[in-house]
Amino acid sequence: MSRMAWIALACAGLVGAYLALLFVVQRSMLFPMPAYSPGDPGDAAEVVRITRDGIEASALFLAPHAPNGPAPLIIFTHGNGELADFWIEDFEVPRSWGFAVLLLEYPGYGRAPGAPSEKSIMEAARAAYDWAVADPRVDPARIATYGRSLGGGVAARLATERPVAAVILESAFTSVADFAARFLAPAFLIRDPFDTREALTSYRGPLLVIHGRQDTIVPIAHGRELAAIVPGAAFHELDCGHNDCPRQWSTIHAFLNTALYRRKEEKKD
């Protein structure tokens, strides 16, 4: 065999080894589960263990501070390096509006059983939604999904599989394949695509996209592309990065009031 043939063979071997390594380690990269110390999530939070068709899911249900009949609900899906418990304090704000909140935990994260993957996370999201619509504290006509970072893919896809009145995406990417391109990972290698772009092509309800202009993890171009998919979507740019953006509660409140009120009136008709 010629020297050039040996070099080509060696290069092919190196590429193959790199792709094989990416395939093996990609889930540990995609799901960097933070350390968790079991504890009381607080008086305001109730730990909900949901079982549907043999699927166990874990979530924190936060009731509104002043319940007045079935409440509108925000189902929140967090980023890949976060836990549901991290968000209890932040969501005190919508609870003060009279909203209930369901903080979904991902399988294998925190107190949740199982192991994370797109399949297991979506199964947990469906189970959580189905639990919520059956709970008398929740108004099933006024449910919004709110996904941050990787959770944006969960929130968008859930909105195509279950009736929701609105979707909020914060610092979300178009797909894991697009995100992983910087690691020279081909799309066919991606085990958990979380294709937010594809999900939104099937969604035509109210959409609010929030993204930081200084986001170096998920560049703002992702947010702009997602907002452009859904006619009439609202796009809100912030002067921040990926993990330092303050919650835009006033913008979110105005958006949800309009979207959820419209959905409730449509249900009446």
Side-chain angles (χ1 to χ4, degrees):
M1 188 179 292
S2 69
R3 182 182 178 187
M4 291 302 296
W6 277 112
I7 292 174
L9 185 61
C11 290
L14 288 173
V15 170
Y18 177 69
L19 294 179
L21 179 64
L22 278 179
F23 183 80
V24 171
V25 305
Q26 63 179 275
R27 278 189 172 153
S28 63
M29 297 171 65
L30 186 60
F31 303 114
M33 295 175 281
Y36 174 70
S37 299
D40 185 351
D43 294 339
E46 176 185 359
V47 179
V48 178
R49 179 62 59 82
I50 305 135
T51 304
R52 184 183 69 85
D53 299 333
I55 297 161
E56 283 193 301
S58 181
L60 298 176
F61 180 77
L62 312 179
H65 287 314
N68 183 24
L73 174 73
I74 298 172
I75 299 177
F76 180 73
T77 50
H78 59 69
N80 64 341
E82 302 165 351
L83 297 174
D85 295 65
F86 294 176
W87 292 94
I88 294 172
E89 185 175 348
D90 277 56
F91 278 88
E92 286 291 298
V93 176
R95 294 178 70 197
S96 70
W97 306 337
F99 279 63
V101 179
L102 192 64
L103 304 176
L104 179 70
E105 192 53 282
Y106 299 153
Y109 278 65
R111 60 174 62 79
S117 67
E118 181 174 15
K119 182 177 185 292
S120 69
I121 291 172
M122 288 311 306
E123 287 174 343
R126 295 182 200 104
Y129 177 98
D130 294 345
W131 174 88
V133 295
D135 192 288
R137 293 170 294 181
V138 172
D139 181 353
R142 294 186 292 164
I143 295 179
T145 59
Y146 178 175
R148 195 188 103 74
S149 192
L150 178 140
V154 182
R157 185 168 166 191
L158 184 60
T160 69
E161 299 182 1
R162 296 292 189 273
V164 303
V167 175
I168 301 169
L169 302 178
E170 178 186 323
S171 306
F173 48 67
T174 51
S175 72
V176 169
D178 294 342
F179 181 72
R182 70 184 68 180
F183 301 106
L184 303 179
F188 70 83
L189 198 69
I190 304 302
R191 303 169 72 182
D192 305 287
F194 287 102
D195 196 335
T196 315
R197 178 198 293 110
E198 190 276 333
L200 287 182
T201 60
S202 303
Y203 176 75
R204 285 298 176 267
L207 172 67
L208 170 63
V209 178
I210 300 170
H211 216 109
R213 283 186 287 270
Q214 277 76 54
D215 194 331
T216 57
I217 297 176
V218 181
I220 195 170
H222 286 248
R224 289 172 177 156
E225 182 176 346
L226 293 175
I229 294 170
V230 179
F235 183 65
H236 191 63
E237 292 188 18
L238 301 175
D239 190 21
C240 56
H242 190 74
N243 293 314
D244 61 345
C245 292
R247 307 283 77 69
Q248 298 301 294
W249 288 127
S250 60
T251 298
I252 291 170
H253 194 196
F255 168 75
L256 289 177
N257 273 348
T258 300
L260 300 189
Y261 176 78
R262 184 174 76 182
R263 179 59 180 267
K264 192 169 185 179
E265 290 303 302
E266 288 173 351
K267 283 285 185 180
K268 287 180 181 179
D269 295 341

